[in-house]
Amino acid sequence: MFVAGFPAGAWGTNCYLVAPAAGEECVIVDPGHEAASGVEELIREHRLKPVAVLLTHGHIDHIASVVPVCGAQGVPAWIHPEDRYMMADPERALGRSLGQQLMGSLTVGEPDDVRELTDGSVLELAGLQLTVDHAPGHTKGSVTFRTPAADDIPPVLFSGDLLFAGSIGRTDLPGGDSGAIMRSLARVCLPLDDATVVLSGHGSQTTIGRERATNPYLQQAAGAVGAPALPRRGM
């Protein structure tokens, strides 16, 4: 499997292009703030043909470029129905005071073709198999996408703002829920193989095994102990 990515825009949100190999069809995960030019550059460099945009959740730092990217490539966007409203009204997703500060001159809205994700569904796109897991807590409609292991290639989890290297997503914005995020960590992340590569919405690559051994929040989820105060990670 081929994965190319870059941290986009003011919030450094990781945008990924995923394909079976360079020169083939791909999906684009989380085209955030000012991501369109970086997406175009990777498409040209690796001779990729996008077929879909996949959104781990609806916060503006993950979807700010969804309209221009979908429009330029003529592809649909996939998002969980609980977060779909954020495309047209991102300020409500952040709280009005914070939203007004951060939105600035950004133009938002839905692309022409929006499709809704469901928990447990398997997307067959671009020659890839991506399992969708609903993982509320950061937002009500947060999801992850995971690929199966193949030959000598470990499985990959696109975790959005559920799980980071050493941390987890914030829960103090509208729709956030600290109890829900701990349950999502337990249900979505803990059953995965230690070799699973975690590509998150912010920060560096990690593995489930590393996080199981060192991440206090994943350890807390495993111990079924009440969630502590959460760090401010992600939008």
Side-chain angles (χ1 to χ4, degrees):
M1 187 172 70
F2 173 86
V3 180
F6 61 97
W11 301 296
T13 303
N14 291 326
C15 176
Y16 301 102
L17 280 70
V18 190
E24 298 190 20
E25 292 184 336
C26 73
V27 297
I28 301 165
V29 180
D30 287 352
H33 181 232
E34 298 181 345
S37 61
V39 168
E40 289 285 356
E41 181 178 343
L42 289 179
I43 288 170
R44 289 193 302 270
E45 179 181 353
H46 300 291
R47 309 177 315 283
L48 298 169
K49 178 179 173 51
V51 299
V53 167
L54 306 181
L55 302 171
T56 61
H57 62 287
H59 281 161
I60 190 64
D61 60 324
H62 289 251
I63 70 167
S65 295
V66 68
V67 170
V69 168
C70 286
Q73 304 302 325
V75 300
W78 293 78
I79 191 168
H80 192 275
E82 291 270 19
D83 277 13
R84 182 169 178 170
Y85 77 92
M86 298 185 190
M87 289 180 164
D89 192 4
E91 288 187 12
R92 183 159 65 96
L94 301 175
R96 292 298 180 190
S97 59
L98 179 59
Q100 288 170 1
Q101 294 174 40
L102 296 178
M103 287 300 298
S105 60
L106 292 177
T107 300
V108 297
E110 287 196 356
D112 292 338
D113 188 352
V114 178
R115 305 180 188 185
E116 295 187 346
L117 299 165
T118 57
D119 183 45
S121 62
V122 178
L123 303 178
E124 302 276 357
L125 297 168
L128 303 165
Q129 185 181 85
L130 296 150
T131 298
V132 179
D133 287 303
H134 186 208
H138 181 61
T139 68
K140 290 183 178 181
S142 289
V143 301
T144 64
F145 303 101
R146 55 185 167 90
T147 68
D151 299 324
D152 294 329
I153 302 172
V156 175
L157 175 71
F158 296 91
S159 65
D161 286 5
L162 171 64
L163 179 67
F164 302 122
S167 190
I168 60 174
R170 64 189 292 177
T171 60
D172 59 330
L173 296 173
D177 184 319
S178 59
I181 203 170
M182 298 302 283
R183 291 189 293 272
S184 291
L185 289 167
R187 184 177 70 88
V188 174
C189 297
L190 287 176
L192 299 178
D193 189 274
D194 281 352
T196 302
V197 175
V198 179
L199 299 177
S200 62
H202 301 269
S204 60
Q205 174 179 314
T206 186
T207 66
I208 288 293
R210 185 179 304 152
E211 297 312 299
R212 200 190 309 275
T214 63
N215 189 315
Y217 302 98
L218 201 58
Q219 292 172 344
Q220 193 128 20
V225 180
L230 303 182
R232 291 179 176 269
R233 292 294 305 276
M235 177 51 59

